[in-house]
Amino acid sequence: MSEFPGATGLVLNEPLLWEKGKVGRRGMSLPRRDVEAAPVDEELIGEVPDLPDLSEVDVVRHYTRLSQWNFGVDSGMYPLGSCTMKYNPKINERLAALTGFAGAHPLLPDRLSQGALRLMAELERFLAEITGMDAVSLQPAAGAQGELTGMLIIFAFHQSKGSPRSKIIVPDTAHGTNPASAALCGFQPVKVASNEQGILSAEAVAALMDEETAGIMVTNPNTLGLFEENIREIAEIVHAKGGKVYCDGANMNAVMGIAHMGKMGVDVLHLNLHKTFSTPHGGGGPGSGPICVTRELEQFLPVPRVVREDGTWELSEEFPQSIGKVHAFYGNFGVMIKAYCYILSMGRDLKRASQLAVLNANYVKARLKDVLHLPYDRPCMHECVFSDKLQRQLKISTIEMAKRLMDYGFHPPTVYFPLVVHGAIMIEPTETESKETLDQFIEAFKAVVKEAAENPDLVRNAPSRCKVRRLDETAAARFPCLAG
Amino acid sequence: MRYLPHTDRDIAEMLDVVAAKDLDDLFATVPAACRRDNELHLSEPLTELELSRHVESLAATMAVSPEYRLFVGAGSYEHFIPESVRYLLGRSEFSTAYTPYQPEMGQGTLQAVYEYQTLVSRLLGMEVTNASLYDGASALAEAVLMAIRVTGRKRVAISRAIHPSYRRVVQTYVQSTDFEVLELPYLPNGRTDLSSVPEMKDLAAVAVQSPNFFGCIEEPKAVGEAAHQGGALFVTAFSEPLAYGLFKNPGSQAADIVCGEGQSFGIPQSFGGPSLGMFATRTQYVRSMPGRLVGQTHDAEGRRAFVLTLATREQHIRREKATSNICTNNSLCALAAAMYLASLGRTGLRELAALNRDKAEYLKKQLTTAGFRVPFDSATFNEFVVEVPAGFDAAYERLLEKRIVAGLPLGRSYPELAGCYLLGVTETRTRADMDDLVRELKS
């Protein structure tokens, strides 16, 4: 076995910004003053905000040191379940930063913005093709905003039929954003339990679906990494009562080129460009959460929409049934560019990306299931979910093993989610990890499991190789200190 | 494909381990009825060179500085971005990380966001700033919803001088609820008319923007008094926070919730996004606040460290009872803003803000001297409204041919201002640019 990536080296301390610097220093070259000072009403003038004055070197060292305390996909394997931490191609960063795009003002006449509008129109078409849906809006700024947009579209649909509905069915395996988005839209989420196989049964949905229910929000593949095999039947049940099927497409990375969301009976679907389509997550965003719909629901998509008139791309507001705007402009265009570049670079190989993502997850599952409890022993999609059941008797829990993985040089998997698995460990390797890296991760996890039995304090006291040791998170919440 | 590391031999070995005969076999649980019946209709993969040429050709069609000289702000501002900020933001330890759920491996992001929260709190004069929202528009929508939660009331009054897109997003967010949005008109001086507020009963919030969409500085004290007298929260929005480098900040004017757009601080315009939703409030309301928060704590050895905190407000814990559905926010844009503010410092911030205002005042003066009327006589920052003579459309088109964009026509969002343009000037426009604009307009 080759050496694990986790190692210690010289890590530099760095104070807070305002603990360094001196009044009068400057870290930025201001454009030249070529006008006189204009008189100003003293009443309006405020005190100068108390920002530290730093030199350019101060600022560069500060953030360089901070960055070295972080771990990203470029640092190593980041198997965070449900987050699809695949490699983020570098060329896409350069192309999104081209002056023509980065410097573009959003409110110029359309004919001065043709390249951006064409890119958006083509990306919409690609996403429709990949999902099997009919129409797309790129406006939502992240997955959760896509969910809200989708809920509003379903609300608008029922309202247009003259019969607003109050409830929506949400499985117990759903991301927390699902019930939160539904509630924000005024729907009352009704929980449906998944069956002993970890998926929804048609009967369970049939028992809840009625004409007060606007539809169902389902994640497919679901958060246990399983394909919802009964989705067609479920969609038929929901449709028969006049409801709509919303699919959380956070896990689309498993089924590109394979599944067809339209044929599945999905009416509305959101994608996360910062997951499936390789745009970097930025330590918490910006993301992009396009929404894909059937022809029937297209009229409700947010405005403006990109249309083509006489060979010219235009932004059109001429959709009277639209739910309106969810973003000040057109969404996170800078993120869209990167997803567009990714799709063009991959082409039909997107299917292979999904196949290899699923192969990687099944490989990890097969090789770890003799040391970790596997609550649903079925073929998985792009991620697999274990639990800490075997280690609990040693009084070692998921979080402790997760922290110990850091010492071996891996980002931990998602932990304690989905909620239906006690002590869940949700591993999503993604297709961009090689077999050697997976083998190393598997060996590391096995070593942690072995330590849990033989040297449990080592695991309990982890991590020991990071910039900091375990944090007192209770104190942070009990005595909030949110600014310095 | 260079992003897929698997060799045929790797695949064969791995298939063997998972007991599948081929890659298709892995998808046995996907019913035939749920599958595509054709291959993806996408082109052959482009090479990196082909991709570059193609995307560069699209970018080349865009009207951008310096070939074009734009006098347009309206919520997206062309400010100078120092190379050091661009460079630091490219550090992939920041950009390729996820939300720092595992704080021991994300101290860089966490300290940087904590610093962002602090710098923005100081800038706005507020006590607590969250880790970011999507943009100025959704920040206002979240502020309205928070005021409704805090007060238990269902009506809000929103100034018509708030950015039209922000108001539309608020409408979208409340359309499926029984919340009511009332509009406050604006006065002949361009500021919000508060005279109807006392008659509006049971308001959760009174919301204005300052500088407002017309560039005018509102009278926040008066808005705050009007709001507080009726038991409503005073919400103030912004699209140009650089103004607070010169003018009084919202916190000093008794604002309860401050929300807006932070694109001006080191974030490229990028055709409108990604940008930065800034959101701040007073400590007493922190548990009703949307969005993530980073707090200071210590590790097992007593060293200072940072962590995501007060998560019991959030969707992953509270689900349908959360204060917001937000999960991914615009963290990297918050880092850009912090890097930019750190580069500017207090001295630079005041200087840059004054420069913006002085340039706008110069242009305003040149235009009025040339006979254009400025309909609103309130103080402005780096944007202002100009009334144009009939037939100006032709002049606007002629200027476009000369690669000058002479402002944003207001008629579409404000039919009553059909003959008016909103002009914006930042430090990136030179005196010569402005003189050219005025000369062309006169000719």
Side-chain angles (χ1 to χ4, degrees):
Chain A
M1 193 66 234
S2 59
E3 215 176 354
F4 290 114
T8 49
L10 184 63
V11 175
L12 299 170
N13 284 317
E14 178 65 14
L16 291 159
L17 275 172
W18 49 91
E19 292 168 353
K20 47 195 275 185
K22 279 185 180 166
V23 173
R25 279 201 181 125
R26 171 71 57 82
M28 175 169 163
S29 159
L30 291 193
R32 190 174 305 281
R33 172 175 272 279
D34 53 6
V35 295
E36 305 284 302
V40 57
D41 180 358
E42 288 297 324
E43 276 290 291
L44 298 174
I45 300 290
E47 278 179 43
V48 191
D50 183 20
L51 306 182
D53 279 352
L54 304 158
S55 70
E56 185 170 323
V57 186
D58 289 333
V59 174
V60 168
R61 290 229 172 103
H62 181 79
Y63 287 103
T64 301
R65 288 180 182 182
L66 259 55
S67 76
Q68 290 168 337
W69 306 345
N70 250 21
F71 185 95
V73 173
D74 284 5
S75 318
M77 184 172 161
Y78 212 124
L80 203 58
S82 240
C83 301
T84 314
M85 295 297 278
K86 62 171 75 178
Y87 172 68
N88 314 124
K90 303 311 161 203
I91 181 65
N92 303 356
E93 297 299 311
R94 183 180 83 77
L95 296 174
L98 289 171
T99 306
F101 291 142
H105 194 286
L107 296 177
L108 301 191
D110 292 340
R111 65 179 187 282
L112 300 184
S113 308
Q114 286 297 295
L117 295 177
R118 178 179 156 193
L119 186 152
M120 289 170 68
E122 289 184 356
L123 178 58
E124 286 179 5
R125 189 166 58 75
F126 293 159
L127 298 179
E129 170 62 20
I130 292 163
T131 57
M133 302 299 286
D134 297 321
V136 177
S137 166
L138 302 169
Q139 201 175 116
Q145 207 185 27
E147 292 174 20
L148 172 65
T149 307
M151 287 294 102
L152 289 168
I153 288 171
I154 291 175
F155 179 87
F157 164 78
H158 289 298
Q159 204 173 36
S160 75
K161 298 280 170 209
S163 58
R165 297 187 175 197
S166 59
K167 298 184 288 183
I168 192 130
I169 301 170
V170 182
D172 54 2
T173 50
H175 295 118
T177 48
N178 287 185
S181 301
L184 187 51
C185 185
F187 289 127
Q188 182 203 335
V190 178
K191 202 195 281 190
V192 57
S194 38
N195 64 20
E196 66 286 348
Q197 292 183 306
I199 58 175
L200 291 175
S201 71
E203 297 73 36
V205 174
L208 293 172
M209 185 64 207
D210 60 23
E211 281 164 10
E212 281 299 298
T213 303
I216 188 168
M217 280 186 107
V218 53
T219 306
N220 198 15
N222 71 21
T223 60
L224 289 164
L226 306 175
F227 193 85
E228 291 286 355
E229 295 176 36
N230 306 315
I231 184 72
R232 280 262 311 199
E233 272 178 272
I234 289 168
E236 278 164 25
I237 290 162
V238 171
H239 289 157
K241 300 261 176 167
K244 292 290 170 201
V245 176
Y246 182 94
C247 181
D248 178 330
N251 296 336
M252 190 71 202
N253 201 47
V255 292
M256 289 186 290
I258 293 148
H260 189 286
M261 293 291 172
K263 282 175 71 180
M264 246 181 241
V266 171
D267 298 288
V268 191
L269 165 87
H270 88 260
L271 297 169
N272 301 72
L273 298 187
H274 49 288
K275 295 181 181 176
T276 311
F277 297 95
S278 89
T279 76
H281 197 273
S288 177
I291 195 99
C292 314
V293 297
T294 55
R295 191 65 68 204
E296 182 190 20
L297 297 180
E298 181 179 4
Q299 58 188 318
F300 302 111
L301 286 176
V303 283
R305 296 192 58 205
V306 184
V307 298
R308 197 166 194 189
E309 292 282 340
D310 302 329
T312 306
W313 298 103
E314 291 178 5
L315 286 163
S316 171
E317 294 269 353
E318 305 299 313
F319 297 89
Q321 296 275 79
S322 164
I323 59 157
K325 281 176 79 70
V326 296
H327 189 271
F329 300 108
Y330 323 117
N332 287 343
F333 177 70
V335 179
M336 297 171 206
I337 301 168
K338 298 175 197 178
Y340 175 80
C341 293
Y342 176 71
I343 293 169
L344 285 177
S345 298
M346 296 292 289
R348 287 175 212 143
D349 282 348
L350 284 174
K351 178 177 179 180
R352 191 156 180 91
S354 284
Q355 289 174 324
L356 296 177
V358 172
L359 177 64
N360 276 3
N362 276 286
Y363 182 74
V364 170
K365 177 169 72 85
R367 291 209 46 209
L368 279 178
K369 72 177 182 180
D370 52 345
V371 297
L372 290 172
H373 171 244
L374 183 66
Y376 300 95
D377 192 1
R378 309 183 59 224
C380 69
M381 292 275 110
H382 62 301
E383 62 195 2
C384 55
V385 179
F386 293 100
S387 88
D388 59 2
K389 190 172 175 183
L390 303 178
Q391 285 69 41
R392 243 174 276 150
Q393 49 206 323
L394 304 167
K395 298 201 161 44
I396 292 290
S397 62
T398 290
I399 192 68
E400 290 160 328
M401 291 191 281
K403 300 292 183 194
R404 182 60 180 155
L405 272 175
M406 296 179 185
D407 288 335
Y408 283 89
F410 294 94
H411 194 282
T414 291
V415 292
Y416 300 105
F417 184 82
L419 307 175
V420 293
V421 174
H422 186 71
I425 301 166
M426 186 196 213
I427 302 172
E428 181 180 6
T430 85
E431 72 280 7
T432 58
E433 297 304 330
S434 68
K435 179 172 179 293
E436 298 91 287
T437 307
L438 297 182
D439 285 338
Q440 216 169 33
F441 171 77
I442 289 160
E443 290 312 315
F445 218 136
K446 286 185 171 175
V448 171
V449 166
K450 194 154 175 259
E451 287 169 347
E454 294 171 359
N455 193 355
D457 280 347
L458 197 59
V459 182
R460 279 187 202 114
N461 293 327
S464 59
R465 284 177 164 159
C466 296
K467 171 74 168 60
V468 292
R469 306 290 297 267
R470 284 285 283 278
L471 302 192
D472 189 343
E473 302 194 19
T474 314
R478 192 167 295 165
F479 312 105
C481 172
L482 308 171
Chain B
M1 208 300 144
R2 65 193 184 283
Y3 309 144
L4 305 177
H6 301 64
T7 64
D8 290 345
R9 189 167 164 189
D10 291 336
I11 293 172
E13 285 174 14
M14 293 169 79
L15 284 170
D16 210 34
V17 170
V18 306
K21 65 178 192 303
D22 56 26
L23 289 172
D24 285 339
D25 203 20
L26 297 168
F27 294 87
T29 59
V30 180
C34 297
R35 286 171 183 255
R36 299 181 69 91
D37 39 28
N38 56 2
E39 290 298 311
L40 285 171
H41 186 64
L42 295 172
S43 60
E44 286 299 306
L46 295 189
T47 66
E48 187 165 323
L49 186 62
E50 287 166 343
L51 177 74
S52 294
R53 296 262 156 89
H54 168 63
V55 178
E56 282 162 3
S57 75
L58 293 179
T61 67
M62 304 292 290
V64 292
S65 189
E67 289 76 23
Y68 277 77
R69 288 179 287 175
L70 280 71
F71 293 88
V72 190
S76 178
Y77 302 93
E78 186 191 335
H79 287 294
F80 171 72
I81 302 174
E83 197 52 42
S84 52
V85 169
R86 225 187 299 268
Y87 177 87
L88 289 169
L89 213 60
R91 294 222 33 131
S92 71
E93 297 93 330
F94 289 132
S95 64
T96 72
Y98 204 77
T99 304
Y101 294 133
Q102 297 290 345
E104 298 87 351
M105 274 186 139
Q107 282 299 300
T109 295
L110 286 160
Q111 180 169 327
V113 173
Y114 177 80
E115 290 171 343
Y116 161 82
Q117 291 174 181
T118 303
L119 297 185
V120 174
S121 296
R122 292 180 184 187
L123 175 81
L124 301 177
M126 300 300 286
E127 288 162 344
V128 197
T129 299
N130 75 12
S132 74
L133 298 174
Y134 310 130
D135 67 350
S138 62
L140 179 62
E142 291 278 13
V144 163
L145 295 174
M146 176 174 153
I148 288 169
R149 276 197 300 282
V150 167
T151 60
R153 299 174 175 183
K154 293 185 169 179
R155 312 168 80 197
V156 293
I158 294 187
S159 166
R160 186 166 164 75
I162 288 183
H163 196 297
S165 293
Y166 295 10
R167 286 184 283 127
R168 288 179 66 186
V169 172
V170 171
Q171 288 293 352
T172 306
Y173 270 63
V174 303
Q175 66 187 270
S176 59
T177 65
D178 57 353
F179 307 145
E180 194 183 352
V181 179
L182 308 170
E183 189 174 276
L184 300 173
Y186 56 86
L187 295 162
N189 66 7
R191 287 177 175 167
T192 302
D193 180 355
L194 299 165
S195 60
S196 55
V197 172
E199 293 143 35
M200 297 175 172
K201 298 293 175 215
D202 292 327
L203 287 178
V206 176
V208 299
Q209 175 181 326
S210 187
N212 67 25
F213 188 66
F214 308 131
C216 298
I217 311 299
E218 293 278 1
E219 276 183 294
K221 272 240 157 77
V223 186
E225 280 164 19
H228 293 148
Q229 265 170 17
L233 297 194
F234 170 24
V235 173
T236 180
F238 56 84
S239 68
E240 179 47 294
L242 183 61
Y244 306 138
L246 182 65
F247 295 130
K248 283 177 178 158
N249 62 26
S252 67
Q253 309 294 300
D256 297 303
I257 304 175
V258 184
C259 53
E261 176 54 64
Q263 177 268 325
S264 285
F265 295 148
I267 300 163
Q269 291 171 277
S270 209
F271 206 47
S275 57
L276 171 63
M278 290 180 161
F279 194 100
T281 188
R282 306 201 170 277
T283 304
Q284 68 186 107
Y285 301 127
V286 68
R287 284 175 200 274
S288 298
M289 198 177 191
R292 298 199 191 279
L293 288 163
V294 173
Q296 184 178 310
T297 185
H298 49 83
D299 76 353
E301 291 175 4
R303 289 174 297 198
R304 178 166 68 188
F306 301 92
V307 67
L308 291 170
T309 194
L310 299 181
T312 50
R313 301 164 300 114
E314 292 187 58
Q315 47 77 26
H316 60 284
I317 308 286
R318 292 274 282 168
R319 301 178 78 85
E320 66 269 24
K321 294 190 181 67
T323 56
S324 167
N325 69 335
I326 195 165
C327 182
T328 287
N329 52 32
N330 281 26
S331 186
L332 200 65
C333 301
L335 255 62
M339 290 168 180
Y340 180 90
L341 289 172
S343 303
L344 208 47
R346 55 179 292 149
T347 316
L349 179 71
R350 171 58 53 104
E351 208 176 307
L352 183 64
L355 183 57
N356 270 255
R357 178 172 185 275
D358 292 340
K359 292 219 177 200
E361 290 300 308
Y362 175 82
L363 180 61
K364 198 194 270 182
K365 194 171 164 201
Q366 299 302 310
L367 285 169
T368 47
T369 306
F372 289 88
R373 200 175 87 86
V374 173
F376 303 133
D377 65 357
S378 300
T380 55
F381 180 57
N382 63 3
E383 287 183 278
F384 58 91
V385 175
V386 175
E387 198 175 288
V388 297
F392 178 80
D393 290 359
Y396 185 83
E397 290 298 319
R398 184 165 48 76
L399 282 167
L400 281 185
E401 295 299 316
K402 301 198 170 187
R403 302 191 166 187
I404 295 175
V405 184
L408 179 78
L410 287 177
R412 196 160 160 187
S413 298
Y414 297 91
E416 71 278 17
L417 297 175
C420 293
Y421 279 67
L422 179 66
L423 270 77
V425 182
T426 69
E427 74 283 358
T428 57
R429 287 291 79 80
T430 63
R431 181 175 183 152
D433 293 338
M434 296 188 277
D435 290 343
D436 286 351
L437 171 70
V438 176
R439 193 174 53 246
E440 290 292 342
L441 285 175
K442 277 199 292 194
S443 67

